[in-house]
Amino acid sequence: MRTLADEIGTAIEVDLAVMPPHQRRAYAGLDQYRRPVEVRGVQELAKGIAESFGAFAIFDVETVLRSPAIAPFVTQTLYAIPLELRRAACDRDRLKAEGARKEMARIISAALLARYHFEPLKHVSASCHPNWEQAFEQQFGAGRGEGSSR
């Protein structure tokens, strides 16, 4: 049986796996010829990873947050990942790149789970519920902390 930690780790792995190659290289500080350049695109990547948790209420102690509210923490976590690991995720050897992406996903999910508590929205997924806002308010109430507005 899959745990919540498994679900979160898998969501991050998928985000990293489907990232366009140019975005992956930018995050690793590589140009199209794999030469070192300035790291770019970290905020966009963090936003994408945070959006993966749209079907969750995310608790920071007592405050309930929606997924965009964790993007700054994800950004910090992405910057903390060693550059060598980010570059390994761009390797031409698929197994090496996959292993690096899995390790990156493990680091990110461990950091998220250490900081936040994730609660799946009942009977809701971000892709199939027509009114996510209403479902969130029904389950967790309006005005339950500063992160309750989107």
Side-chain angles (χ1 to χ4, degrees), residues 40-147:
R40 300 176 316 278
V42 179
Q43 289 81 10
E44 293 82 13
L45 177 56
K47 183 180 174 191
I49 290 173
E51 288 172 356
S52 298
F53 302 110
F56 292 90
I58 304 160
F59 290 88
D60 186 8
V61 186
E62 294 283 326
T63 305
V64 65
L65 307 169
R66 295 183 183 166
S67 58
I70 68 169
F73 181 76
V74 175
T75 300
Q76 291 174 345
T77 305
L78 290 172
Y79 275 119
I81 292 175
L83 193 57
E84 299 80 31
L85 185 59
R86 295 187 234 170
R87 289 183 175 166
C90 298
D91 202 279
R92 291 174 195 222
D93 179 346
R94 286 185 179 210
L95 291 177
K96 183 177 179 182
E98 182 181 338
R101 285 192 306 268
K102 285 182 184 243
E103 179 62 16
M104 289 169 52
R106 187 198 61 74
I107 291 169
I108 297 164
S109 65
L112 285 171
L113 290 168
R115 168 84 187 258
Y116 301 108
H117 169 73
F118 290 77
E119 184 81 26
L121 292 173
K122 296 175 184 168
H123 310 293
V124 176
S125 78
S127 62
C128 71
H129 198 279
N131 190 342
W132 188 94
E133 297 284 338
Q134 182 181 3
F136 187 92
E137 299 304 330
Q138 285 175 354
Q139 189 167 347
F140 297 102
R144 199 173 158 195
E146 64 189 54

